[in-house]
Amino acid sequence: MKTSTETKIKIARFISKVIVGIRSIFGLSPIVRVERRGVRWSLDLREGIDLAIYLGVYEPETIKALQSLVKSGDIVLDIGANIGAITLPLANLVGVAGQVIVFEPTAWAYGKLEKNLSLNSNLIDRIKAEQIMLLDEGKEPPSLIYSSWSLVNEEDELTHPTHKGRLMTTDGVRGISLDRYIEENSVEKIDLIKLDVDGYELDVIKGASKTLSRYSPRIILELAPHVQEEKEQLEDLLFELKSANYRLEDLTSRKPIAMKRQVIEKLCPEGGGINVLAIPQAN
């Protein structure tokens, strides 16, 4: 049974309180350095994503899918990297001949991303990190974006009412379309895109029409009606993917998913989403 993000946060808050409380008894900080699956991390156990990495439970279905989809020498885009939870496992998968190009717009998460990259000298040469927000051509980045899932802060006007994310500043960010970025940086191929941008998926896809047409990468993304419908974009997002000649599969079962809003809504738990794989169809 799929669990809503709100429920996951409630469980994580309890676990965080227990672990941080026990550590405090022994005079230990809630910020830890650990190794998980061959990757070194600096983690704040008061943050949702950090705690999930610490416990080894961050997006297991996504990690498993990537292990079968990504091969040595691939070029992969991690759009919405946050602190690098998928970036660093991807760097392991692409090998010395591959590359992971990483986009994270918020100053807070980008700083934590850079810290985690610095701890992995064996992987850092495979990663190109950018404090960039990918948008439709001509659009400007917002000043605040959800990127922290605090397990201790009191909820306020900066906290999302459903998924409990906290708005963080985009100071220092550059806004650009993926098409323009690929052209400016002469990227020769793209094998796969991981897209997790909490409601800005449509902007990314609309700004990537040339890229999708030229390279036909597979795309892993979350469809979350409770976020995407806030911007009245779920149907438009499905339309753009269909127009780019993509079809959808469930990321775990690999069963086909009809590209209809009503179907997606039925598959998602209340206040949650599903991870899907968008696959280019042969012309």
Side-chain angles (χ1 to χ4, degrees):
M1 185 178 76
K2 293 188 178 292
T3 306
S4 71
T5 301
E6 185 174 9
T7 300
K8 291 177 183 177
I9 289 292
K10 288 179 180 178
I11 295 170
R13 282 176 175 165
F14 174 77
I15 296 172
S16 173
K17 185 176 181 179
V18 171
I19 295 175
V20 172
I22 292 172
R23 288 180 62 84
S24 69
I25 292 172
F26 295 96
L28 298 174
S29 169
I31 299 174
V32 300
R33 286 195 182 183
V34 297
E35 183 171 320
R36 296 289 184 268
R37 298 180 181 177
V39 174
R40 289 177 288 279
W41 301 95
S42 174
L43 303 172
D44 185 340
L45 301 180
R46 300 163 298 183
E47 283 286 329
I49 292 174
D50 301 53
L51 180 66
I53 296 171
Y54 178 79
L55 297 174
V57 296
Y58 183 81
E59 295 278 359
E61 71 280 3
T62 302
I63 299 292
K64 184 177 180 180
L66 289 170
Q67 290 169 345
S68 65
L69 292 168
V70 178
K71 62 184 184 299
S72 180
D74 279 355
I75 294 179
V76 180
L77 308 187
D78 186 357
I79 304 174
N82 205 281
I83 70 169
I86 298 296
T87 301
L88 286 159
L90 277 173
N92 263 327
L93 294 173
V94 301
V96 295
Q99 186 180 43
V100 185
I101 306 174
V102 183
F103 304 91
E104 170 53 44
T106 67
W108 177 84
Y110 189 76
K112 295 185 68 172
L113 169 66
E114 288 188 309
K115 178 66 174 179
N116 286 321
L117 298 187
S118 73
L119 296 176
N120 294 273
S121 58
N122 59 318
L123 300 176
I124 197 168
D125 288 343
R126 310 173 191 179
I127 300 168
K128 182 178 182 181
E130 305 274 20
Q131 192 189 352
I132 282 175
M133 184 171 187
L134 297 176
L135 296 163
D136 194 6
E137 190 68 38
K139 282 199 170 184
E140 293 295 326
S143 59
L144 297 168
I145 296 176
Y146 295 105
S147 69
S148 165
W149 275 261
S150 174
L151 302 177
V152 294
N153 283 346
E154 293 293 329
E155 295 179 17
D156 56 22
E157 69 277 2
L158 297 178
T159 304
H160 192 279
T162 303
H163 63 61
K164 305 305 178 183
R166 187 169 180 81
L167 289 166
M168 306 299 278
T169 177
T170 59
D171 289 350
V173 75
R174 179 191 180 197
I176 186 175
S177 70
L178 181 57
D179 285 343
R180 185 174 295 275
Y181 179 88
I182 296 302
E183 180 182 349
E184 288 183 359
N185 291 272
S186 302
V187 179
E188 296 180 356
K189 68 167 185 168
I190 301 172
D191 297 289
L192 184 135
I193 295 173
K194 184 232 92 182
L195 177 59
D196 185 1
V197 289
D198 295 302
Y200 290 94
E201 290 81 5
L202 179 61
D203 277 335
V204 175
I205 295 299
K206 289 180 75 172
S209 57
K210 294 178 182 177
T211 300
L212 299 185
S213 176
R214 179 178 178 185
Y215 300 108
S216 299
R218 288 168 292 185
I219 306 169
I220 291 177
L221 74 156
E222 183 182 44
L223 295 179
H226 70 285
V227 174
Q228 288 150 351
E229 283 300 336
E230 288 174 5
K231 298 178 173 60
E232 299 180 350
Q233 66 158 236
L234 182 57
E235 286 190 353
D236 289 341
L237 175 60
L238 295 172
F239 174 81
E240 291 292 333
L241 287 169
K242 283 192 284 187
S243 298
N245 207 28
Y246 277 78
R247 61 182 176 86
L248 296 182
E249 291 182 355
D250 181 272
L251 186 61
T252 302
S253 68
R254 301 298 294 270
K255 293 180 180 179
I257 297 175
M259 298 177 75
K260 297 179 180 179
R261 178 177 59 81
Q262 295 86 348
V263 171
I264 302 300
E265 289 176 342
K266 185 175 291 188
L267 290 172
C268 293
E270 184 178 353
I274 56 168
N275 289 317
V276 301
L277 179 65
I279 301 174
Q281 303 182 88
N283 292 319

